[in-house]
Amino acid sequence: EPEVTQTPSHQVTQMGQEVILRCVPISNHLYFYWYRQILGQKVEFLVSFYNNEISEKSEIFDDQFSVERPDGSNFTLKIRSTKLEDSAMYFCASSRQGHEQYFGPGTRLTVT
Amino acid sequence: SQQGEEDPQALSIQEGENATMNCSYKTSINNLQWYRQNSGRGLVHLILIRSNEREKHSGRLRVTLDTSKKSSSLLITASRAADTASYFCANNAGGTSYGKLTFGQGTILTVHP
């Protein structure tokens, strides 16, 4: 069964450094998403991406964040200058029609 | 309170019993979805119920939706130890076709063998 994959599974970085989190959505899906979950808290929406552009973003998704679909398979989330409060589990999700979303296993980002 | 609140926050039952989790939300929705998360893992999509549906079944899962009360429930029948996980409801609010999901805090379900 096709699934969403994410790399790396765990990323440790120093405050102020740039990180790129990678995702490979399910191949025939058209809608792509990033969410994050700070330890012990709710899963929070960051951004949705459709037709090669951002369709919606949350207040969390400020100028430090960007997303890209550099080729036909990858979907990346970049954080330009990480802060301690960016430490969280980041989930990528994809959807064929914008309804059921299929989540990847997540990348645990630790900012020190 | 925030959107997508589940109750109870934690539920502990014996194998074979039924587990019922409830969820409330605040705005109008296109659909509501339930997800399962095993400890430290990703979210697994369980079931989606559309705003014009009242009940839906999938295997041992039964979901109801009451849009007048802005609430939903997830029933897991004949629970198994493998059902131990956190369960989240997530709603796709009306007015967007791009599927942004708003999640609740979740219910931690423990099923004792």
Side-chain angles (χ1 to χ4, degrees):
Chain A
E1 189 174 320
E3 56 184 23
V4 176
T5 59
Q6 289 185 244
T7 54
S9 57
H10 191 190
Q11 173 89 49
V12 181
T13 189
Q14 289 192 325
M15 204 164 47
Q17 295 296 304
E18 173 184 286
V19 294
I20 297 176
L21 310 183
R22 302 180 193 280
C23 168
V24 179
I26 294 172
S27 62
N28 64 347
H29 284 189
L30 302 176
Y31 298 82
F32 312 109
Y33 311 86
W34 284 101
Y35 294 82
R36 79 173 186 190
Q37 185 179 31
I38 294 171
L39 188 63
Q41 297 188 22
K42 294 184 184 186
V43 176
E44 302 173 287
F45 169 80
L46 293 178
V47 66
S48 59
F49 192 87
Y50 170 72
N51 203 24
N52 285 320
E53 60 182 22
I54 290 173
S55 46
E56 192 169 2
K57 59 184 180 179
S58 71
E59 293 172 354
I60 303 166
F61 195 89
D62 61 21
D63 292 346
Q64 292 302 310
F65 291 86
S66 62
V67 289
E68 199 175 42
R69 188 156 162 80
D71 53 41
S73 59
N74 290 286
F75 180 51
T76 62
L77 174 70
K78 183 194 288 187
I79 309 175
R80 287 192 186 83
S81 178
T82 49
K83 308 185 195 78
L84 293 175
E85 53 265 38
D86 293 328
S87 293
M89 184 77 100
Y90 287 81
F91 294 107
C92 171
S94 70
S95 174
R96 199 161 72 88
Q97 296 178 323
H99 301 303
E100 293 95 342
Q101 294 181 26
Y102 294 87
F103 283 73
T107 292
R108 181 170 299 284
L109 176 65
T110 302
V111 182
T112 60
Chain B
S1 65
Q2 298 173 28
Q3 288 210 58
E5 292 295 322
E6 283 98 334
D7 78 86
Q9 290 187 325
L11 181 60
S12 182
I13 58 174
Q14 293 296 126
E15 214 167 23
E17 294 180 339
N18 295 342
T20 300
M21 289 159 266
N22 303 296
C23 165
S24 63
Y25 57 92
K26 285 194 165 293
T27 65
S28 61
I29 59 171
N30 281 336
N31 62 66
L32 187 139
Q33 303 178 40
W34 285 88
Y35 288 82
R36 184 185 75 225
Q37 184 180 36
N38 289 82
S39 181
R41 307 287 297 276
L43 293 144
V44 175
H45 183 267
L46 294 176
I47 195 165
L48 178 151
I49 186 165
R50 291 186 166 75
S51 58
N52 61 353
E53 297 175 310
R54 291 297 165 257
E55 189 170 309
K56 202 158 180 184
H57 296 253
S58 176
R60 294 185 295 113
L61 306 180
R62 180 185 146 223
V63 169
T64 62
L65 180 65
D66 186 336
T67 53
S68 67
K69 294 181 180 175
K70 292 187 167 60
S71 67
S72 173
S73 68
L74 171 69
L75 167 68
I76 303 174
T77 59
S79 63
R80 304 167 184 166
D83 295 329
T84 294
S86 293
Y87 291 82
F88 296 89
C89 70
N91 67 77
N92 172 211
T96 176
S97 61
Y98 299 110
K100 167 192 167 182
L101 292 176
T102 300
F103 281 82
Q105 279 287 138
T107 293
I108 301 170
L109 173 67
T110 304
V111 182
H112 300 281

